[in-house]
């Protein structure tokens, strides 16, 4: 539900994920769908694994921990968002 609202509002989503993972339907070979869905993601280097996905939107950073019992939390702070964007841009480049 949230993803549909985000796309309708044309809000970009930046997603930093473990190597070899991506959102369903938005795999690495599907770049035209990325743009259409206002979605950017970057993968951690091979061998780095994190059960956590970081999603940055507006001044919010959502951290989703995928485990037997998934857990998520959202931080709202321009300072924190800017800090996470530095990580994202480093891995993106």
């Amino acid at each position: 539900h949230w993803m549909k609202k985000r796309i309708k509002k044309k809000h970009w989503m930046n997603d930093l994920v473990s190597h070899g993972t991506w959102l369903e339907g938005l795999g690495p070979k599907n770049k035209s769908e990325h743009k259409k869905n206002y979605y950017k993601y970057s993968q951690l280097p091979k061998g780095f694994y994190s059960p956590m996905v970081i999603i940055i939107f507006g001044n919010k950073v959502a951290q989703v921990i995928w485990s037997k019992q998934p857990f998520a939390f959202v931080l709202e702070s321009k300072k924190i968002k800017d800090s996470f964007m530095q990580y994202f841009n480093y891995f993106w480049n």
Side-chain angles (χ1 to χ4, degrees):
H1 182 266
W2 174 82
M3 290 289 273
K4 288 179 184 176
K5 281 177 68 175
R6 180 191 61 76
I7 293 165
K8 188 175 181 180
K9 291 180 178 184
K10 299 180 180 180
H11 290 178
W12 281 91
M13 182 172 104
N14 297 301
D15 197 2
L16 179 60
V17 299
S18 294
H19 184 81
T21 63
W22 50 81
L23 289 178
E24 188 175 322
L26 294 171
K29 295 180 183 176
N30 215 345
K31 298 291 184 190
S32 63
E33 284 298 308
H34 292 195
K35 191 171 185 177
K36 193 165 85 177
N37 286 283
Y38 300 92
Y39 178 69
K40 293 181 187 177
Y41 83 102
S42 185
Q43 296 180 6
L44 292 169
K46 199 172 191 173
F48 282 57
Y49 171 75
S50 174
M52 179 177 62
V53 174
I54 299 167
I55 305 167
I56 302 166
F57 53 103
N59 281 333
K60 297 177 182 173
V61 177
Q63 297 180 337
V64 182
I65 301 165
W66 298 110
S67 62
K68 192 172 182 177
Q69 183 174 1
F71 177 77
F73 59 95
V74 178
L75 301 169
E76 186 170 5
S77 162
K78 182 176 180 347
K79 203 173 200 178
I80 292 171
K81 184 270 300 190
D82 290 345
S83 175
F84 272 94
M85 283 306 297
Q86 287 180 11
Y87 291 123
F88 180 83
N89 289 326
Y90 173 80
F91 285 110
W92 187 261
N93 293 325

